């Protein structure tokens, strides 16, 4: 692609879209800097993992992949949203990183802006990746990278709280049985469920399993099914089954509420597994139920490894070797263990469960998960998501009914 025409496509609108396209599941903030270099023996990698320093297993893996490819790796870590904006600005200057690891909903925005090469162009092998996870990196019938791993949402539960309330977790099959369990917990003097409904992408991320679990589609926020999902959350607050704090809860503060030991359930992700083991009480994990039964599709979190467009196309072959090294079966297991992710391939998922049986419900949840930009929503998703979280805020605060809130959201999207 001509670099001038590519720069024309890197608009302010793309920058705005990226501001709401990311979910903050990574920790910390990164240092600035890092760009492509004229030194052909040095290849730049940008990632959203500032929590891992130079001594980490992740940084050492990058270095070893560089050695295997016969080059030196220059790695720069950024905060998730900062990385996305830096990637757009670097592309404007024709100075992109050789390898870019970004939050999966950002891929379609960068792809449509002309920043990324397709797997047809860069020859990345995605044949072993689970299709539902690969879909998050697809738009316009093309694939723009490969997932390095996935996380998603499920319900953690406090075994002691449920036991004292007389709740058999095996009886929870759908929304009605879950709500009945919350009623029993409330009657026993404990707290029901906590989650994040904050007015950001985190709020949309946490609402999506209930929205999709109702049978609703993101193209029709105001459908009867979509309204029923918002009514479920709203009713839980009215009955005291969920605290009013969910309106401002991030996924971190929601977890802190659950870790107090007073709550029966918390909606949260794989990244809390280490914290769950430190909580001081026995816990279990339950896939989020659909309205009428079965497992609801939860959104996939996690990053894609991509190859940005370079004016020097001769660099692609080595960049492809770096990505292949990072995502091969042996390294995926180590990487996803470090990141607390579920691997994107069935082969490595099986290996993970064999090593840690506690990952089984998470693997099941990931297999049922959906990409937020799937169904070819691409850059439409950020606008839909913004209106969805605004609807959730309106309904839970009581300023609008669930029906009116979703109607207003759908009207704003149009």
């Amino acid at each position: 692609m001509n670099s001038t025409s590519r720069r024309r496509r890197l608009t302010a609108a793309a920058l705005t879209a990226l501001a709401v396209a990311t979910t903050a599941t990574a920790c910390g903030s990164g240092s600035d800097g890092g760009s492509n270099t004229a030194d052909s023996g040095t290849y730049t990698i940008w990632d959203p993992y500032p929590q891992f320093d130079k001594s980490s297993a992740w940084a050492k893996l990058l270095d070893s992949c560089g050695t295997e490819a016969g080059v030196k790796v220059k790695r720069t870590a950024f905060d998730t949203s900062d990385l996305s904006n830096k990637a757009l600005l670097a592309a404007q200057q024709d100075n992109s990183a050789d390898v870019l690891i970004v939050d999966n909903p950002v891929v379609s925005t960068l792809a449509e802006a002309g920043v990324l090469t397709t797997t047809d162009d860069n020859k990345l092998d995605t044949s072993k990746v689970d299709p539902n996870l690969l879909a998050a990196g697809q738009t316009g019938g093309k694939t723009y990278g490969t997932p390095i791993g996935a996380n998603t949402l499920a319900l953690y539960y406090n075994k002691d709280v449920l036991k004292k309330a007389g709740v058999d977790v095996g009886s929870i099959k759908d929304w009605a049985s879950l709500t009945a369990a919350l009623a029993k917990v409330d009657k026993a003097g404990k707290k029901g469920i906590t989650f994040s409904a904050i007015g950001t992408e985190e709020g949309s991320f946490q609402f999506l399993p209930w929205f999709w679990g109702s049978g609703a589609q993101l193209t029709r926020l105001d459908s009867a099914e979509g309204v029923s999902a918002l009514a479920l959350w709203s009713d839980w607050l009215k009955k005291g089954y969920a605290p009013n704090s969910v309106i401002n809860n991030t996924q971190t503060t929601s977890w802190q509420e659950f870790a107090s030991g007073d709550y029966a359930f918390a909606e949260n992700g794989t990244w809390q597994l280490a914290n769950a083991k430190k909580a001081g009480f026995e816990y279990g994990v339950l896939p989020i139920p659909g309205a009428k039964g079965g497992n609801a599709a939860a959104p996939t979190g996690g990053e894609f490894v991509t190859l940005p467009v370079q004016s020097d196309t001769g660099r692609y072959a080595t960049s492809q070797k770096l990505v292949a090294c990072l995502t091969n079966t042996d390294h995926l297991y180590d990487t996803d263990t470090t990141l607390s992710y579920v691997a994107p391939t069935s082969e490595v998922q099986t290996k993970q469960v064999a090593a840690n049986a506690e990952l089984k419900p998470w693997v099941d949840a990931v297999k049922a998960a959906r990409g937020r930009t799937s169904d070819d929503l691409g850059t439409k998703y950020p606008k839909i998501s913004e209106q969805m979280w605004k609807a959730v805020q309106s309904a839970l605060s009581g300023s609008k009914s669930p029906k009116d809130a979703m109607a207003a959201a759908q009207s704003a999207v149009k």
Side-chain angles (χ1 to χ4, degrees), residues 104-136:
N104 73 68
V106 174
V107 174
S108 59
T109 299
L110 293 178
E112 291 185 29
V115 175
L116 305 178
T117 60
T118 70
T119 52
D120 288 338
D121 294 333
N122 58 44
K123 309 305 179 187
L124 288 179
D125 181 9
T126 61
S127 60
K128 293 183 178 180
V129 178
D130 288 353
N132 66 314
L133 300 181
L134 191 62

Side-chain angles (χ1 to χ4, degrees), residues 21-25 48 80 84 101-107 301-304 372:
T22 56
T23 256
T25 54
T80 300
S84 306
I101 304 173
V102 291
D103 197 18
N104 73 68
V106 174
V107 174
E303 290 77 41
F304 264 62
R372 284 164 276 174

Side-chain angles (χ1 to χ4, degrees), residues 164-218:
K164 289 180 178 177
V167 174
D168 175 10
V169 73
S171 69
I172 299 173
K173 304 291 187 183
D174 51 23
W175 289 1
S177 54
L178 175 58
T179 301
L182 296 177
K184 285 186 177 181
V185 170
D186 183 63
K187 189 175 181 180
K190 288 292 187 178
K191 298 176 182 179
I193 186 169
T194 180
F195 47 87
S196 169
I198 194 170
T200 68
E201 176 62 20
E202 281 190 73
S204 291
F205 189 71
Q206 291 237 321
F207 182 60
L208 274 172
W210 311 95
F211 182 81
W212 281 332
S214 73
Q217 300 295 321
L218 285 171

Side-chain angles (χ1 to χ4, degrees), residues 248-316:
N248 297 311
N249 269 350
T250 64
Q251 293 177 111
T252 298
T253 55
S254 172
W255 179 261
Q256 290 167 350
E257 288 180 336
F258 179 67
S260 71
D262 292 330
Y263 284 84
F265 298 96
E267 180 183 0
N268 228 295
T270 47
W271 54 90
Q272 298 292 5
L273 277 172
N275 289 328
K277 293 175 183 177
K278 301 174 186 175
F281 54 80
E282 286 193 68
Y283 73 94
V285 178
L286 179 72
I288 296 171
K292 298 178 181 178
N295 296 344
T300 55
E303 290 77 41
F304 264 62
V305 191
T306 66
L307 298 183
V309 172
Q310 305 287 346
S311 55
D312 179 4
T313 57
R315 298 182 71 84
Y316 294 149

Side-chain angles (χ1 to χ4, degrees), residues 328-346:
N328 70 32
T329 298
D330 291 336
H331 290 158
L332 266 181
Y333 177 80
D334 294 335
T335 297
D336 290 331
T337 298
T338 298
L339 298 174
S340 290
Y341 280 175
V342 172
T345 68
S346 295

